[in-house]
Amino acid sequence: MKVVCVGGGPASFYLSILLKKQEPRHEVSVLERRPAGSTYGWGVTYWPDMFEELTECDPDSAREIAGSSVHWSEGTAHIGGRTVTHPGGVGHAIGRHRLLNILTERAEALGVRVEFGSEVQAAPDPSEADLVVVGDGAHSQLRDRHAEAFGTRRTLGANQYIWLGTTRVFTSFTFAFVETAHGWIWCYAYGYSAHGSTFIAECSTATWTGLGLDRLPEEEALRLLEELFAGQLEGHPLTGRTDTGGRPQWQNFTTVANTSWSHGNLVLIGDAAHTTHYSTGAGTTLALRDAMSLARELRNAPDPAAVPSALAAYAQERQRALLPAQSAARLSAQWYENLARYLDLDPHQMFSLLGQRHSPLLPHLPPRLYYQLDQTLGRLQALRWLKQRVGSRLASTLQSHHAERAGSTTAD
Ligand SMILES: Cc1cc2nc3c(=O)[nH]c(=O)nc-3n(C[C@H](O)[C@H](O)[C@H](O)COP(=O)(O)OP(=O)(O)OC[C@H]3O[C@@H](n4cnc5c(N)ncnc54)[C@H](O)[C@@H]3O)c2cc1C
């Protein structure tokens, strides 16, 4: 089978690896418009369950990814002048450049043809590809050419954000909320290597224009952010993207969704198919899971004639699996858009509700009431757990006591 993957992001590369692994006779190519090693972005997060899936699918690349990742196990929030730290689950991050280098090398080693500097504007001729994988990201040109057939929908977030890097290495997942004369501005920051961290700044449009961030030349805007977040950056600079050709780097996040994921021999994957708000740190994981699912379904398609039903099964599985992530991402974006609801809470309470921002109930209850209910429920759960543990220990002690007595009675 001939497979052409358009776009050299994590989704396309991972799919190309899995397809070549399961059938080395497939002719698989990846066409990426940028030059080699020049991808955008900083670090991306992922969680232990993703790592297990990667290991199962391709232990070689999983090992490399683990070796190039950092991890953290607590979150820190700076709210106004106060700092709160909460323990959390283990999270991992890897530089996007490094991740793509690993995947490119692995794909090439398996025989995938990789062409950098190759911009695709229209679908390749059907004689050149049994399957065209549309993996060219959230602003996919190929998808947009067939937007009606895919049923593409876009929703623009209300807040402004910018994706930056810094040489300050954050060792916990860090949030900072800073009050200015024009309203609040905040950042999420996390290390992705021994040398750098991702730093995303976000604020409402009113704060953005009030601070002049809509008009300031980029360098001045970065210096202003460095001043606002001086307490967290500790003298380290912020760096913007160098590949935007002068386009502004502040954006409103676009949530993309598609009703159909395939059209003729085209199939959507990764951000071209769906995006989830960056505050949930899930986009790369979801893109990789799309690749795993599509490869699995194509394994059951022995020839090109069987591909349409494999594509339908893939779309059905992934659309269903994505629902919780999409709902969490929507609620997470809304939490930040409605930040004012949480700002007069005690910092511990606010940080706790930040961790609960995916809850569908939270937007409908007064935050203090929600917090109290959550604490009470937590205590009740702890009590229930204690009761179960103590109860089962007591039961097993009594059982062995009876058994001993029974044993000694028999021996007597
Ligand atoms: C601010 C921000 C922070 C994020 N943080 C995280 C995070 O912490 N964790 C996480 O999991 N996810 C994160 N994400 C999301 C993540 O970056 C994406 O979900 C992920 O990269 C999607 O992978 P993909 O392969 O579908 O697309 P992409 O990674 O976007 O790759 C698409 C590729 O296609 C290429 N391309 C585009 N057009 C063409 C064309 N016409 N011809 C050829 N090539 C083309 C592009 O150059 C690009 O290399 C974040 C996103 C943002 C915006």
Side-chain angles (χ1 to χ4, degrees), residues 7 9-11 32-34 40 45 96 120 136 163 190 270-271 283-284:
E32 165 57 43
R33 69 174 168 193
R34 293 168 190 271
Y40 68 90
T45 52
R96 185 178 152 89
V120 178
D136 51 348
W163 196 6
Y190 51 89
D271 272 14
T284 305

Side-chain angles (χ1 to χ4, degrees), residues 28 42 54 75 86 156 163 192 195 206 223 230 240 246 251-252 261 275 282 291 402:
V28 185
W42 310 93
L54 290 172
H86 284 183
L156 218 54
W163 196 6
Y192 64 82
H195 310 287
R223 301 298 82 84
Q251 292 183 48
N252 301 84
W261 283 25
T275 60
H402 283 312

Side-chain angles (χ1 to χ4, degrees), residues 73-187:
S73 53
E74 63 177 21
T76 303
H78 305 275
I79 303 169
R82 289 179 59 189
T83 299
V84 193
T85 298
H86 284 183
V90 174
H92 301 272
I94 182 169
R96 185 178 152 89
H97 284 83
R98 181 69 193 121
L99 174 65
L100 286 174
N101 281 346
I102 292 170
L103 298 182
T104 308
E105 278 174 21
R106 179 74 178 131
E108 286 181 326
L110 289 166
V112 173
R113 192 169 63 85
V114 180
E115 264 184 44
F116 286 102
S118 177
E119 173 143 10
V120 178
Q121 276 159 359
D125 190 85
S127 65
E128 290 169 36
D130 299 305
L131 180 64
V132 177
V133 178
V134 183
D136 51 348
H139 306 289
S140 167
Q141 290 180 47
L142 204 46
R143 178 203 60 212
D144 286 352
R145 275 181 168 252
H146 306 277
E148 213 170 304
F150 287 121
T152 307
R153 303 181 301 283
R154 288 184 182 75
T155 316
L156 218 54
N159 284 346
Q160 304 288 333
Y161 80 92
I162 187 165
W163 196 6
L164 302 169
T166 175
T167 48
R168 159 91 158 92
V169 179
F170 291 92
T171 51
S172 64
F173 201 104
T174 300
F175 303 87
F177 296 84
V178 174
E179 188 170 18
T180 75
H182 304 280
W184 289 76
I185 184 163
W186 55 96
C187 73

Side-chain angles (χ1 to χ4, degrees), residues 218-273:
E218 183 170 323
E219 278 308 307
E220 285 179 44
L222 293 187
R223 301 298 82 84
L224 175 57
L225 291 175
E226 285 166 6
E227 274 171 38
L228 291 170
F229 294 105
Q232 289 70 51
L233 289 166
E234 298 179 349
H236 287 266
L238 289 172
T239 317
R241 282 171 63 168
T242 51
D243 61 338
T244 56
R247 268 179 294 124
Q249 296 190 33
W250 285 94
Q251 292 183 48
N252 301 84
F253 186 78
T254 309
T255 302
V256 174
N258 289 276
T259 311
S260 296
W261 283 25
S262 64
H263 170 57
N265 69 341
L266 304 181
V267 62
L268 303 178
I269 189 170
D271 272 14

